[in-house]
């Protein structure tokens, strides 16, 4: 039976994450990192020491063997503090697929180093004109000796510059879904990485593969059958992204509440005006309904159940809800809330980019319709 009450361990995880991020990742630091400054190695080490990089990795590989729901709870706090850094790419886009589809040798090689904070991974799937379909992948992997060479261009590869390993999708057959996933060393010959300019200042890159050699032992899963793996990665990443976005929406509401209680007009706190009260009612309804959807999806994944429709419903709702909440936050703060120097702007940027990552609301509504047999 589904139960959304947090366990004592989950409450401790949530509280310790909030305290740590409040202290170690203030919004001034977030602004500095948006300007291109490198993520502080000391902060990464402290996150590793807290066990975040190994939270969901089994104990035999150096992790603590937490659940997918534990990971979602952690990322809700990361979204609350809009903490940048390679944790999402390394754990969600790297460790999870290796745990689910890697060979024993791949797990032994990669997972302990991720748990120890020594290895950063990312995912290279999207291409120019891509629309989350297997047919949109044109990067090609050709056989060469006892391995392959990869040629093609990937876009929106997060943290590609600081990753040690790229999980790259390439076409290995003529049929639409004959796709293979390769674990590629970032420093392999033939790889060119170019930064992309993004709205929220997050680190997205174009990665060009030009005759990049990779051994057959570095295939994740079976050759030609990677598309279901990619869909599984996207489904789990979508749910964790929803957790992050709801954390951000909650922060916007908390900031706005504090302001509405302190700011006075006509000798009254502005929170006493009906229009402002309705804004908060709408915010709370959006956040509560969206939190239910992503928690249900995360719980199903933790229990090994099919969460395809739940993940799609969550993403279709959460992205738009986060945007609505930030717009209402801007209105509550008034003119100051629309300036780039105000913290509200940081959250608004992330609401816009988060709504589009891993497919926008229309794409996920279409998936819900597919699940309904339409």
């Amino acid at each position: 039976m589904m139960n959304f009450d947090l366990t004592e361990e989950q409450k401790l995880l949530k509280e310790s994450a909030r305290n740590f991020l409040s202290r170690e990742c203030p919004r001034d630091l977030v602004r500095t990192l948006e300007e291109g400054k490198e993520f502080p190695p000391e902060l990464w080490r402290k996150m590793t020491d807290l066990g975040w990089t190994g939270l969901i990795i089994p104990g035999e590989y150096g992790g603590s063997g937490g659940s997918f729901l534990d990971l979602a709870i952690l990322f809700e706090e990361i979204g609350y503090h809009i903490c940048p850094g390679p944790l999402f790419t390394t754990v969600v886009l790297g460790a999870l697929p290796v745990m689910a589809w890697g060979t024993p040798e791949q797990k032994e090689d990669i997972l302990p180093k991720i748990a120890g904070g020594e290895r950063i991974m990312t995912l290279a799937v999207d291409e120019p004109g891509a629309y989350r379909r297997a047919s949109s992948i044109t990067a090609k992997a050709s056989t060469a000796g006892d391995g392959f060479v990869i040629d093609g261009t990937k876009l929106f590869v997060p943290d590609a510059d600081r990753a040690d390993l790229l999980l790259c999708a390439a076409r290995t057959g003529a049929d639409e879904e004959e796709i293979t996933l390769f674990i590629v060393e970032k420093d392999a010959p033939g790889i060119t990485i170019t930064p992309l300019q993004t709205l929220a200042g997050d680190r997205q890159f174009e990665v060009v593969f030009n005759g990049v050699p990779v051994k057959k032992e570095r295939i994740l899963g079976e050759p030609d059958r990677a598309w279901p793996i990619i869909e599984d990665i996207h489904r789990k990443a979508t749910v964790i992204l929803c957790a992050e976005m709801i954390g951000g929406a909650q922060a916007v509401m908390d900031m706005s509440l504090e302001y509405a209680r302190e700011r006075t007009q006509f000798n009254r706190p502005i929170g006493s005006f009906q229009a402002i009260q309705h804004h908060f009612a709408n915010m709370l309804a959006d956040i509560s309904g969206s939190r239910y959807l992503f928690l249900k999806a995360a719980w199903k994944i933790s229990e090994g159940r099919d969460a395809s429709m739940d993940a799609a419903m969550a993403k279709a709702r959460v992205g738009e809800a986060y945007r609505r909440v930030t717009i209402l936050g801007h209105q509550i703060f008034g003119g100051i809330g629309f300036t780039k120097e105000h913290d509200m702007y940081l959250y608004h940027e992330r609401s816009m980019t988060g709504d589009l990552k891993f497919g926008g609301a229309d794409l996920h509504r279409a998936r819900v319709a597919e699940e309904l047999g339409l």
Side-chain angles (χ1 to χ4, degrees):
M1 180 180 293
M2 189 166 55
N3 182 357
F4 287 160
D5 290 337
L6 301 185
T7 64
E8 289 304 315
E9 290 78 10
Q10 289 168 341
K11 290 177 183 175
L12 183 61
L13 171 65
K14 187 178 182 68
E15 183 180 347
S16 65
R18 179 163 295 199
N19 292 338
F20 173 81
L21 291 168
S22 297
R23 184 177 65 253
E24 302 288 346
C25 190
R27 290 173 190 138
D28 287 346
L29 175 61
V30 175
R31 289 182 186 279
T32 304
L33 296 176
E34 278 197 354
E35 295 170 357
K37 187 177 178 181
E38 187 62 31
F39 190 77
E42 180 67 10
L43 180 54
W44 181 249
R45 186 190 63 76
K46 289 179 179 178
M47 293 164 75
T48 299
D49 289 344
L50 286 171
W52 291 2
T53 51
L55 177 64
I56 200 169
I57 292 176
E60 62 187 293
Y61 300 112
S64 52
S67 69
F68 188 84
L69 186 56
D70 295 338
L71 195 64
I73 291 167
L74 173 62
F75 270 92
E76 189 176 350
E77 289 306 314
I78 287 175
Y80 190 95
H81 295 275
I82 48 175
C83 178
L87 190 67
F88 186 98
T89 52
T90 300
V91 175
V92 181
L93 302 181
L96 284 177
V98 171
M99 285 166 53
W101 308 96
T103 64
E105 292 77 14
Q106 290 169 350
K107 293 178 182 178
E108 191 63 43
D109 174 43
I110 296 172
L111 295 179
K113 292 172 183 172
I114 287 181
E118 303 162 15
R119 182 159 289 178
I120 292 173
M121 281 189 75
T122 190
L123 180 70
V125 171
D126 290 341
E127 298 185 9
Y131 193 65
R132 302 286 172 193
R133 299 291 182 189
S135 58
S136 66
I137 292 179
T138 60
K140 185 176 181 181
S142 309
T143 55
D146 63 347
F148 295 82
V149 291
I150 302 175
D151 292 279
T153 299
K154 299 293 181 180
L155 290 180
F156 308 114
V157 182
D159 297 314
D161 62 332
R162 52 192 174 195
D164 303 293
L165 298 174
L166 307 168
L167 200 52
C168 175
R171 182 164 297 285
T172 45
D175 290 345
E176 181 176 328
E177 293 195 0
E178 286 187 333
I179 308 294
T180 301
L181 269 175
F182 296 91
I183 303 169
V184 185
E185 300 282 345
K186 192 272 296 287
D187 295 330
I191 290 181
T192 305
I193 297 174
T194 306
L196 300 173
Q197 188 171 2
T198 63
L199 176 67
D202 51 341
R203 301 169 75 91
Q204 304 278 344
F205 295 84
E206 176 194 74
V207 181
V208 176
F209 293 79
N210 185 12
V212 177
V214 57
K215 296 179 180 178
K216 63 181 180 182
E217 292 81 9
R218 301 299 269 177
I219 290 175
L220 187 72
E222 296 184 37
D224 300 334
R225 297 183 179 180
W227 188 246
I229 301 176
I230 294 169
E231 289 191 312
D232 184 63
I233 296 171
H234 281 162
R235 184 161 43 249
K236 291 173 180 172
T238 293
V239 175
I240 296 298
L241 176 62
C242 287
E244 200 172 330
M245 288 193 290
I246 285 303
Q250 184 66 56
V252 168
M253 182 169 168
D254 290 350
M255 281 193 298
S256 303
L257 262 176
E258 184 178 354
Y259 182 75
R261 287 168 176 153
E262 295 178 352
R263 173 67 170 164
T264 58
Q265 286 287 339
F266 308 108
N267 297 318
R268 297 167 55 186
I270 62 171
S272 66
F273 294 106
Q274 188 180 55
I276 299 296
Q277 292 172 349
H278 285 188
H279 282 351
F280 282 111
N282 289 328
M283 282 176 155
L284 185 59
D286 258 339
I287 292 171
S288 298
S290 299
R291 182 177 280 121
Y292 169 82
L293 288 174
F294 96 73
L295 282 174
K296 183 181 178 185
W299 176 80
K300 278 195 168 183
I301 292 172
S302 290
E303 294 293 313
R305 301 189 183 191
D306 180 15
S308 301
M309 180 179 287
D310 303 273
M313 285 195 297
K315 187 59 167 61
R317 171 72 184 267
V318 172
E320 292 182 342
Y322 192 7
R323 294 182 65 171
R324 284 193 295 268
V325 168
T326 56
I327 289 171
L328 291 174
H330 281 304
Q331 293 179 10
I332 292 166
F333 274 96
I336 186 67
F338 285 90
T339 63
K340 199 167 184 178
E341 290 72 24
H342 197 277
D343 288 341
M344 191 64 65
Y345 198 86
L346 296 173
Y347 288 89
H348 195 173
E349 287 177 330
R350 280 152 184 77
S351 74
M352 290 189 285
T353 56
D355 192 17
L356 297 175
K357 283 181 181 176
F358 303 110
D362 286 345
L363 173 68
H364 289 280
R365 288 193 187 96
R367 287 184 172 169
V368 172
E370 289 175 9
E371 292 290 330
L372 291 170
L374 300 174

